[in-house]
Amino acid sequence: MRNKTTKATIIEMRSRGEKIAALTSYDYLSTRMIDESGIDMILVGDSLGMVVLGYENTLPVTMEEIIHHCKAVARAHPRALLVADMPFMSYQASVEDAVRNAGRLVKEGGAECVKLEGGRRYVPVVEAIVQASIPVVGHLGLTPQSLHQFGGYRVQGKDGESAEGLLNDSKALERAGCFAIVLEGIPWQLAGRITEAISIPTIGIGAGPNCSGQILVIHDMLGINEMPLPRYVKKYDEIGLRIKKAVSDYAREVKEGRFPGMEHSYDALGQKKDRTVGK
Ligand code: KIV
């Protein structure tokens, strides 16, 4: 049986050269399945805005929404480390806001760590949250909360200057106390340089194979999300197609009176089995 994964376990995994497998989750039953399948880190990501709540991007996601889903995930008592995303505007306006909201994710949501997007500018925020005894995961590169700043979902760090900027950001986040950093949508060579330059684990998404671990959005990798997906997503299944087949089989059987059969029906004691069809 695996032991509870903590922040220390994740750091040790990097030191041992053992890759870290992370995945998003937003509900109780999925978390139980994920947790039984060897995942080390579960993220209640603000991607829930898009894959669960139907928003166009992650910007409208609120603290209440993250807390609501984090509670459901925490009720599964995952062995994996439970990280909650800090939604847009829960940490940008002030350090005080940031600490209070990080605290809510732990106290009300049951998160064990928080993740926030941004580089050097967020050093005081990271320091203050860590001071409050809450472990922090950084997030650099194509950070979706900066969508409008970037002018779209564009790979970051492609030129020398922005690559240097991200390298310096990663060092600053490590110094500020982050215990891991998500690297999203950056060239694999830069992700490799960053991973070499810092001693904390890097968790890549669209950042190539040279990170300490990888994370994907569960709906994307299971093939539930039918939107066009970025090239970094590998679909491990086509569950969306299988769900549609199962649901259309069910609808057809109901309409044809073939479901429920007697094996799915209760029998009154002492009464003859009688099937009335078509009412
Ligand atoms: O919100 C999210 O799911 C994320 C991951 C994609 C890293 O931030």
Side-chain angles (χ1 to χ4, degrees), residues 24 26 43-48 58 85 115 117 139 144 182 184 205 215-217 232:
T24 66
Y26 318 97
L43 171 69
V44 182
D46 59 0
S47 50
L48 77 84
T58 60
D85 245 345
K115 173 170 84 59
E117 299 181 5
H139 187 164
V182 169
E184 178 164 359
I205 173 162
I215 185 164
L216 285 174
V217 170
Y232 63 73

Side-chain angles (χ1 to χ4, degrees), residues 14 33 45 72 79 97 99 124-125 130 154 162 165 167 183 191 269:
R14 185 214 154 125
M33 287 188 277
R79 234 186 311 273
D97 267 7
V99 175
V125 168
V130 172
R154 296 176 201 288
S162 63
L167 193 58
L183 298 176
L269 271 181

Side-chain angles (χ1 to χ4, degrees), residues 96-266:
E96 209 178 288
D97 267 7
V99 175
R100 196 156 284 130
N101 285 323
R104 286 192 67 198
L105 293 175
V106 173
K107 207 174 161 86
E108 299 173 43
E112 294 159 341
C113 319
V114 300
K115 173 170 84 59
L116 58 87
E117 299 181 5
R120 275 155 290 178
R121 192 166 107 61
Y122 290 96
V123 161
V125 168
V126 172
E127 282 173 345
I129 298 174
V130 172
Q131 278 282 319
S133 300
I134 300 170
V136 180
V137 178
H139 187 164
L140 292 173
L142 199 185
T143 43
Q145 293 177 15
S146 303
L147 164 71
H148 297 312
Q149 178 91 335
F150 296 150
Y153 295 107
R154 296 176 201 288
V155 174
Q156 300 294 303
K158 281 177 119 172
D159 62 83
E161 195 185 331
S162 63
E164 279 317 300
L166 287 170
L167 193 58
N168 290 333
D169 281 340
S170 65
K171 291 178 185 166
L173 290 181
E174 178 178 25
R175 276 196 303 272
C178 283
F179 77 91
I181 301 180
V182 169
L183 298 176
E184 178 164 359
I186 62 172
W188 63 269
Q189 298 92 336
L190 174 59
R193 273 180 74 198
I194 292 176
T195 305
E196 295 250 297
I198 59 178
S199 59
I200 55 174
T202 56
I203 313 290
I205 173 162
N210 295 334
C211 297
S212 325
Q214 298 291 327
I215 185 164
L216 285 174
V217 170
I218 187 164
H219 292 67
D220 297 348
M221 57 84 77
L222 289 181
I224 298 172
N225 187 357
E226 294 188 321
M227 309 287 259
L229 296 174
R231 66 179 277 164
Y232 63 73
V233 176
K234 177 172 175 183
K235 278 196 192 177
Y236 285 82
D237 208 326
E238 288 286 359
I239 287 184
L241 295 179
R242 293 206 274 144
I243 289 175
K244 284 200 262 187
K245 158 122 187 20
V247 173
S248 66
D249 286 352
Y250 161 72
R252 194 179 53 255
E253 288 195 5
V254 168
K255 287 174 196 300
E256 291 172 356
R258 292 197 290 128
F259 175 83
M262 280 302 103
E263 71 278 26
H264 298 114
S265 304
Y266 296 110

Side-chain angles (χ1 to χ4, degrees), residues 76-87:
H77 299 293
R79 234 186 311 273
L81 184 68
L82 176 48
V83 185
D85 245 345
M86 297 202 67

